Amino acid sequence: MAKDVPVNAVKISLELVDLLRELDGAGVSEVAKRLDKPTSTIHDHLRTLEQQEYLVKEGDTYYVSTRFLQLGAHARSRQKVFKIARPEINELAQVTGEHANLMIEEHGVGVFLYRSRGPDAVRLDTHAGMRVPLQTTALGKSIMANRPREEVERILDRHGLESVTDRSITDREELFDVLEQVRERGYSYDDEERVKGMRCVAAPILNEDDYAIAAVSVSGPKSRMREERFTEELPNQILKSANVIEVNLTYS
């Protein structure tokens, strides 16, 4: 097994970039305080990243630069499921009027790979590249439900069960009970588990071995995600879209 060999300077730079993203910009002193590192060390990292065009500086404040947009676009374009699913996600958004989403799992978290906004969709914080705890979304539950239990256990050992709202699942056995229901039903729900007032329905995108490589969903305000629309209409539309994507992936 490969031995972990952390390179401290690289680790600091990456933590620094993540912090600047989280804070939407910060100065040397604030970054040094947050990371508990000497000001001189942080200054050197910030200046190096700026010189390499990964940061921009406005006054005394450093921000993440658009160079990361180029990297993110490249990473996303490498995902075959993104290319295949994008037209279907767009159509799903138009048909339902809501947000239609595509998610993959990477390093044990859910990553929004693509989002399309329908004509009636409300404003949400989701965007391409956003990373969230898997169990807080219908998308993530659809993925975990169609992965081997030991793989899901490893994800939970690494990331735990973060509570995002008071409806988030935080008990491991409860989660596995829910995942069993999702597997039997074929689709999953998120009932205000990541965003208050929002509901979501999702279905997995499976490969030829019935292993979830991604998931597709529709999300909308609770007031519009009710009764038969929530329990029948949307699940049927999402299952249809997932099936189309699976077939296109197989024969592309």
Side-chain angles (χ1 to χ4, degrees), residues 36-176:
D36 193 24
K37 301 291 182 185
T39 301
S40 58
T41 299
I42 294 301
H43 181 264
D44 289 345
H45 280 269
L46 288 168
R47 289 286 295 131
T48 301
L49 286 166
E50 183 193 11
Q51 289 168 0
Q52 296 301 311
E53 300 179 358
Y54 287 99
L55 299 180
V56 293
K57 186 180 181 184
E58 298 177 11
D60 294 326
T61 303
Y62 289 88
Y63 298 92
V64 173
S65 84
T66 54
R67 183 154 190 180
F68 286 99
L69 184 62
Q70 179 185 25
L71 297 175
H74 169 72
R76 186 169 71 169
S77 69
R78 289 185 58 252
Q79 297 283 338
K80 183 179 179 182
V81 69
F82 163 69
K83 298 176 183 177
I84 297 296
R86 180 166 54 175
E88 196 65 31
I89 300 295
N90 288 336
E91 182 177 346
L92 191 58
Q94 290 302 309
V95 169
T96 63
E98 309 288 359
H99 287 282
N101 312 285
L102 177 68
M103 177 180 281
I104 62 168
E105 175 272 325
E106 190 173 77
H107 296 296
V109 297
V111 182
F112 283 93
L113 205 60
Y114 184 65
R115 185 194 77 167
S116 184
R117 192 167 180 233
D120 301 321
V122 298
R123 291 190 178 276
L124 283 177
D125 62 339
T126 51
H127 56 266
M130 185 176 184
R131 302 161 75 85
V132 296
L134 284 166
Q135 93 285 356
T136 64
T137 66
L139 292 152
K141 284 185 279 188
S142 280
I143 291 172
M144 288 192 291
N146 294 277
R147 296 281 181 89
R149 177 164 179 141
E150 57 269 24
E151 182 178 338
V152 178
E153 293 275 15
R154 288 194 297 271
I155 288 173
L156 300 182
D157 289 342
R158 178 177 179 181
H159 295 285
L161 287 166
E162 181 182 346
S163 178
V164 179
T165 74
D166 59 7
R167 298 182 68 90
S168 302
I169 298 175
T170 57
D171 179 81
R172 188 175 291 215
E173 287 311 310
E174 178 187 354
L175 175 62
F176 280 110

